[in-house]
Amino acid sequence: MKTQWPPVYNPSYFPAPDEPFWDRKLETMDPGEREQRVMLPKLQAQLIYAYENSPFYRKKWDEAGIKNPKISGLWRTSRRCPA
């Protein structure tokens, strides 16, 4: 799965007309696996991108004592990273 942030999409991609899913592998993945393999890496990439490119978030997180905005699980996000 791609975890680059911001994401880069292929504008010419369209699923087959009879395909009920845009991305079958992703949309039918076990929810726990999707959290660990897709959602968490994307969120980590977003946090790093925000820290490196947004003076607002860098200042806010530095003031909160967060020098490395990387997280290890989604359940910790709201307590660790002020928004």
Side-chain angles (χ1 to χ4, degrees):
M1 295 289 146
K2 294 181 180 180
T3 58
Q4 174 184 338
W5 193 261
V8 177
Y9 298 104
N10 178 352
S12 65
Y13 171 76
F14 288 96
D18 61 336
E19 175 60 55
F21 301 99
W22 186 266
D23 184 335
R24 179 176 288 275
K25 182 178 178 183
L26 178 65
E27 293 176 50
T28 60
M29 187 180 288
D30 173 75
E33 181 183 3
R34 184 173 49 243
E35 179 180 306
Q36 289 301 309
R37 293 189 57 213
V38 180
M39 295 170 65
L40 183 59
K42 283 186 175 186
L43 180 58
Q44 289 171 335
Q46 289 173 342
L47 293 173
I48 291 167
Y49 181 87
Y51 187 83
E52 292 174 351
N53 294 283
S54 171
F56 172 81
Y57 282 110
R58 185 173 32 258
K59 181 177 186 278
K60 192 158 186 81
W61 292 339
D62 284 347
E63 289 171 354
I66 300 169
K67 300 296 182 189
N68 178 2
K70 196 165 187 176
I71 57 171
S72 60
L74 294 179
W75 65 273
R76 296 182 184 157
T77 307
S78 62
R79 289 183 288 171
R80 175 131 192 253
C81 291

PDB file of all heavy atoms in Angstrom, residues 48-66:
ATOM      1  N   ILE A  48       4.130  13.600  10.026  1.00  0.00           N
ATOM      2  CA  ILE A  48       5.497  14.017   9.703  1.00  0.00           C
ATOM      3  C   ILE A  48       5.473  15.158   8.692  1.00  0.00           C
ATOM      4  O   ILE A  48       6.188  16.151   8.831  1.00  0.00           O
ATOM      5  CB  ILE A  48       6.327  12.822   9.204  1.00  0.00           C
ATOM      6  CG1 ILE A  48       6.568  11.858  10.373  1.00  0.00           C
ATOM      7  CG2 ILE A  48       7.639  13.274   8.587  1.00  0.00           C
ATOM      8  CD1 ILE A  48       7.107  10.505   9.970  1.00  0.00           C
ATOM      9  N   TYR A  49       4.622  15.027   7.683  1.00  0.00           N
ATOM     10  CA  TYR A  49       4.496  16.089   6.678  1.00  0.00           C
ATOM     11  C   TYR A  49       4.048  17.404   7.327  1.00  0.00           C
ATOM     12  O   TYR A  49       4.600  18.463   7.054  1.00  0.00           O
ATOM     13  CB  TYR A  49       3.497  15.661   5.596  1.00  0.00           C
ATOM     14  CG  TYR A  49       3.321  16.682   4.501  1.00  0.00           C
ATOM     15  CD1 TYR A  49       4.164  16.686   3.398  1.00  0.00           C
ATOM     16  CD2 TYR A  49       2.324  17.645   4.576  1.00  0.00           C
ATOM     17  CE1 TYR A  49       4.017  17.629   2.388  1.00  0.00           C
ATOM     18  CE2 TYR A  49       2.167  18.590   3.574  1.00  0.00           C
ATOM     19  CZ  TYR A  49       3.016  18.573   2.485  1.00  0.00           C
ATOM     20  OH  TYR A  49       2.874  19.505   1.498  1.00  0.00           O
ATOM     21  N   ALA A  50       3.045  17.320   8.195  1.00  0.00           N
ATOM     22  CA  ALA A  50       2.549  18.522   8.870  1.00  0.00           C
ATOM     23  C   ALA A  50       3.637  19.145   9.739  1.00  0.00           C
ATOM     24  O   ALA A  50       3.815  20.364   9.753  1.00  0.00           O
ATOM     25  CB  ALA A  50       1.317  18.191   9.713  1.00  0.00           C
ATOM     26  N   TYR A  51       4.378  18.320  10.471  1.00  0.00           N
ATOM     27  CA  TYR A  51       5.443  18.826  11.344  1.00  0.00           C
ATOM     28  C   TYR A  51       6.531  19.520  10.520  1.00  0.00           C
ATOM     29  O   TYR A  51       7.016  20.582  10.884  1.00  0.00           O
ATOM     30  CB  TYR A  51       6.042  17.691  12.166  1.00  0.00           C
ATOM     31  CG  TYR A  51       7.024  18.168  13.206  1.00  0.00           C
ATOM     32  CD1 TYR A  51       6.586  18.626  14.438  1.00  0.00           C
ATOM     33  CD2 TYR A  51       8.386  18.172  12.959  1.00  0.00           C
ATOM     34  CE1 TYR A  51       7.468  19.082  15.399  1.00  0.00           C
ATOM     35  CE2 TYR A  51       9.283  18.618  13.907  1.00  0.00           C
ATOM     36  CZ  TYR A  51       8.826  19.068  15.127  1.00  0.00           C
ATOM     37  OH  TYR A  51       9.711  19.519  16.074  1.00  0.00           O
ATOM     38  N   GLU A  52       6.893  18.909   9.399  1.00  0.00           N
ATOM     39  CA  GLU A  52       7.984  19.450   8.579  1.00  0.00           C
ATOM     40  C   GLU A  52       7.562  20.654   7.726  1.00  0.00           C
ATOM     41  O   GLU A  52       8.403  21.458   7.346  1.00  0.00           O
ATOM     42  CB  GLU A  52       8.544  18.358   7.671  1.00  0.00           C
ATOM     43  CG  GLU A  52       9.275  17.275   8.431  1.00  0.00           C
ATOM     44  CD  GLU A  52       9.716  16.121   7.551  1.00  0.00           C
ATOM     45  OE1 GLU A  52       9.309  16.064   6.360  1.00  0.00           O
ATOM     46  OE2 GLU A  52      10.459  15.263   8.057  1.00  0.00           O
ATOM     47  N   ASN A  53       6.260  20.784   7.431  1.00  0.00           N
ATOM     48  CA  ASN A  53       5.822  21.808   6.489  1.00  0.00           C
ATOM     49  C   ASN A  53       4.879  22.855   7.057  1.00  0.00           C
ATOM     50  O   ASN A  53       4.507  23.785   6.337  1.00  0.00           O
ATOM     51  CB  ASN A  53       5.147  21.136   5.281  1.00  0.00           C
ATOM     52  CG  ASN A  53       6.137  20.323   4.477  1.00  0.00           C
ATOM     53  OD1 ASN A  53       6.927  20.864   3.720  1.00  0.00           O
ATOM     54  ND2 ASN A  53       6.121  19.020   4.673  1.00  0.00           N
ATOM     55  N   SER A  54       4.479  22.729   8.304  1.00  0.00           N
ATOM     56  CA  SER A  54       3.537  23.681   8.886  1.00  0.00           C
ATOM     57  C   SER A  54       4.108  24.292  10.164  1.00  0.00           C
ATOM     58  O   SER A  54       4.211  23.617  11.186  1.00  0.00           O
ATOM     59  CB  SER A  54       2.214  22.986   9.212  1.00  0.00           C
ATOM     60  OG  SER A  54       1.382  23.843   9.956  1.00  0.00           O
ATOM     61  N   PRO A  55       4.471  25.567  10.110  1.00  0.00           N
ATOM     62  CA  PRO A  55       4.966  26.216  11.319  1.00  0.00           C
ATOM     63  C   PRO A  55       3.948  26.151  12.469  1.00  0.00           C
ATOM     64  O   PRO A  55       4.321  26.027  13.629  1.00  0.00           O
ATOM     65  CB  PRO A  55       5.207  27.659  10.888  1.00  0.00           C
ATOM     66  CG  PRO A  55       5.396  27.586   9.407  1.00  0.00           C
ATOM     67  CD  PRO A  55       4.526  26.453   8.944  1.00  0.00           C
ATOM     68  N   PHE A  56       2.659  26.198  12.140  1.00  0.00           N
ATOM     69  CA  PHE A  56       1.617  26.131  13.165  1.00  0.00           C
ATOM     70  C   PHE A  56       1.704  24.817  13.944  1.00  0.00           C
ATOM     71  O   PHE A  56       1.757  24.824  15.172  1.00  0.00           O
ATOM     72  CB  PHE A  56       0.238  26.271  12.512  1.00  0.00           C
ATOM     73  CG  PHE A  56      -0.893  26.019  13.475  1.00  0.00           C
ATOM     74  CD1 PHE A  56      -1.315  27.013  14.346  1.00  0.00           C
ATOM     75  CD2 PHE A  56      -1.533  24.791  13.510  1.00  0.00           C
ATOM     76  CE1 PHE A  56      -2.354  26.785  15.236  1.00  0.00           C
ATOM     77  CE2 PHE A  56      -2.570  24.550  14.406  1.00  0.00           C
ATOM     78  CZ  PHE A  56      -2.980  25.549  15.270  1.00  0.00           C
ATOM     79  N   TYR A  57       1.683  23.683  13.226  1.00  0.00           N
ATOM     80  CA  TYR A  57       1.725  22.395  13.911  1.00  0.00           C
ATOM     81  C   TYR A  57       3.071  22.148  14.577  1.00  0.00           C
ATOM     82  O   TYR A  57       3.139  21.587  15.661  1.00  0.00           O
ATOM     83  CB  TYR A  57       1.373  21.251  12.962  1.00  0.00           C
ATOM     84  CG  TYR A  57      -0.115  21.172  12.733  1.00  0.00           C
ATOM     85  CD1 TYR A  57      -0.664  21.514  11.507  1.00  0.00           C
ATOM     86  CD2 TYR A  57      -0.967  20.787  13.757  1.00  0.00           C
ATOM     87  CE1 TYR A  57      -2.033  21.468  11.307  1.00  0.00           C
ATOM     88  CE2 TYR A  57      -2.333  20.745  13.565  1.00  0.00           C
ATOM     89  CZ  TYR A  57      -2.849  21.070  12.344  1.00  0.00           C
ATOM     90  OH  TYR A  57      -4.213  21.033  12.158  1.00  0.00           O
ATOM     91  N   ARG A  58       4.162  22.536  13.947  1.00  0.00           N
ATOM     92  CA  ARG A  58       5.480  22.357  14.563  1.00  0.00           C
ATOM     93  C   ARG A  58       5.538  23.087  15.903  1.00  0.00           C
ATOM     94  O   ARG A  58       5.956  22.531  16.921  1.00  0.00           O
ATOM     95  CB  ARG A  58       6.588  22.839  13.629  1.00  0.00           C
ATOM     96  CG  ARG A  58       7.973  22.560  14.165  1.00  0.00           C
ATOM     97  CD  ARG A  58       9.105  22.877  13.193  1.00  0.00           C
ATOM     98  NE  ARG A  58       8.859  23.984  12.282  1.00  0.00           N
ATOM     99  CZ  ARG A  58       8.521  23.837  11.001  1.00  0.00           C
ATOM    100  NH1 ARG A  58       8.363  22.656  10.466  1.00  0.00           N
ATOM    101  NH2 ARG A  58       8.327  24.902  10.240  1.00  0.00           N
ATOM    102  N   LYS A  59       5.067  24.329  15.940  1.00  0.00           N
ATOM    103  CA  LYS A  59       5.069  25.114  17.187  1.00  0.00           C
ATOM    104  C   LYS A  59       4.163  24.465  18.236  1.00  0.00           C
ATOM    105  O   LYS A  59       4.551  24.295  19.393  1.00  0.00           O
ATOM    106  CB  LYS A  59       4.613  26.543  16.904  1.00  0.00           C
ATOM    107  CG  LYS A  59       4.589  27.447  18.121  1.00  0.00           C
ATOM    108  CD  LYS A  59       4.181  28.860  17.713  1.00  0.00           C
ATOM    109  CE  LYS A  59       4.273  29.824  18.852  1.00  0.00           C
ATOM    110  NZ  LYS A  59       3.144  29.816  19.730  1.00  0.00           N
ATOM    111  N   LYS A  60       2.958  24.090  17.823  1.00  0.00           N
ATOM    112  CA  LYS A  60       1.992  23.501  18.745  1.00  0.00           C
ATOM    113  C   LYS A  60       2.534  22.187  19.333  1.00  0.00           C
ATOM    114  O   LYS A  60       2.447  21.949  20.531  1.00  0.00           O
ATOM    115  CB  LYS A  60       0.674  23.259  18.017  1.00  0.00           C
ATOM    116  CG  LYS A  60      -0.479  22.921  18.923  1.00  0.00           C
ATOM    117  CD  LYS A  60      -1.771  23.228  18.190  1.00  0.00           C
ATOM    118  CE  LYS A  60      -2.968  23.065  19.052  1.00  0.00           C
ATOM    119  NZ  LYS A  60      -3.257  24.165  19.925  1.00  0.00           N
ATOM    120  N   TRP A  61       3.103  21.339  18.478  1.00  0.00           N
ATOM    121  CA  TRP A  61       3.621  20.052  18.954  1.00  0.00           C
ATOM    122  C   TRP A  61       4.907  20.234  19.755  1.00  0.00           C
ATOM    123  O   TRP A  61       5.128  19.522  20.728  1.00  0.00           O
ATOM    124  CB  TRP A  61       3.806  19.097  17.793  1.00  0.00           C
ATOM    125  CG  TRP A  61       2.486  18.674  17.181  1.00  0.00           C
ATOM    126  CD1 TRP A  61       1.263  18.721  17.773  1.00  0.00           C
ATOM    127  CD2 TRP A  61       2.274  18.171  15.878  1.00  0.00           C
ATOM    128  NE1 TRP A  61       0.304  18.260  16.908  1.00  0.00           N
ATOM    129  CE2 TRP A  61       0.885  17.917  15.741  1.00  0.00           C
ATOM    130  CE3 TRP A  61       3.101  17.905  14.794  1.00  0.00           C
ATOM    131  CZ2 TRP A  61       0.325  17.400  14.577  1.00  0.00           C
ATOM    132  CZ3 TRP A  61       2.541  17.383  13.634  1.00  0.00           C
ATOM    133  CH2 TRP A  61       1.175  17.136  13.535  1.00  0.00           C
ATOM    134  N   ASP A  62       5.753  21.176  19.366  1.00  0.00           N
ATOM    135  CA  ASP A  62       6.958  21.449  20.157  1.00  0.00           C
ATOM    136  C   ASP A  62       6.575  21.911  21.561  1.00  0.00           C
ATOM    137  O   ASP A  62       7.166  21.478  22.550  1.00  0.00           O
ATOM    138  CB  ASP A  62       7.837  22.507  19.479  1.00  0.00           C
ATOM    139  CG  ASP A  62       8.621  21.967  18.286  1.00  0.00           C
ATOM    140  OD1 ASP A  62       8.675  20.728  18.119  1.00  0.00           O
ATOM    141  OD2 ASP A  62       9.169  22.789  17.534  1.00  0.00           O
ATOM    142  N   GLU A  63       5.568  22.782  21.646  1.00  0.00           N
ATOM    143  CA  GLU A  63       5.113  23.255  22.951  1.00  0.00           C
ATOM    144  C   GLU A  63       4.538  22.125  23.807  1.00  0.00           C
ATOM    145  O   GLU A  63       4.615  22.163  25.030  1.00  0.00           O
ATOM    146  CB  GLU A  63       4.060  24.358  22.781  1.00  0.00           C
ATOM    147  CG  GLU A  63       4.631  25.662  22.270  1.00  0.00           C
ATOM    148  CD  GLU A  63       3.560  26.681  21.896  1.00  0.00           C
ATOM    149  OE1 GLU A  63       2.356  26.338  21.925  1.00  0.00           O
ATOM    150  OE2 GLU A  63       3.939  27.811  21.545  1.00  0.00           O
ATOM    151  N   ALA A  64       3.984  21.113  23.160  1.00  0.00           N
ATOM    152  CA  ALA A  64       3.423  19.957  23.870  1.00  0.00           C
ATOM    153  C   ALA A  64       4.490  18.904  24.161  1.00  0.00           C
ATOM    154  O   ALA A  64       4.192  17.869  24.760  1.00  0.00           O
ATOM    155  CB  ALA A  64       2.288  19.342  23.061  1.00  0.00           C
ATOM    156  N   GLY A  65       5.741  19.176  23.739  1.00  0.00           N
ATOM    157  CA  GLY A  65       6.830  18.233  23.987  1.00  0.00           C
ATOM    158  C   GLY A  65       6.908  17.094  22.994  1.00  0.00           C
ATOM    159  O   GLY A  65       7.540  16.080  23.250  1.00  0.00           O
ATOM    160  N   ILE A  66       6.275  17.266  21.850  1.00  0.00           N
ATOM    161  CA  ILE A  66       6.291  16.220  20.819  1.00  0.00           C
ATOM    162  C   ILE A  66       7.281  16.642  19.742  1.00  0.00           C
ATOM    163  O   ILE A  66       6.989  17.498  18.915  1.00  0.00           O
ATOM    164  CB  ILE A  66       4.887  16.017  20.225  1.00  0.00           C
ATOM    165  CG1 ILE A  66       3.910  15.604  21.319  1.00  0.00           C
ATOM    166  CG2 ILE A  66       4.925  14.974  19.109  1.00  0.00           C
ATOM    167  CD1 ILE A  66       2.467  15.644  20.890  1.00  0.00           C
TER     168      ILE A  66
END
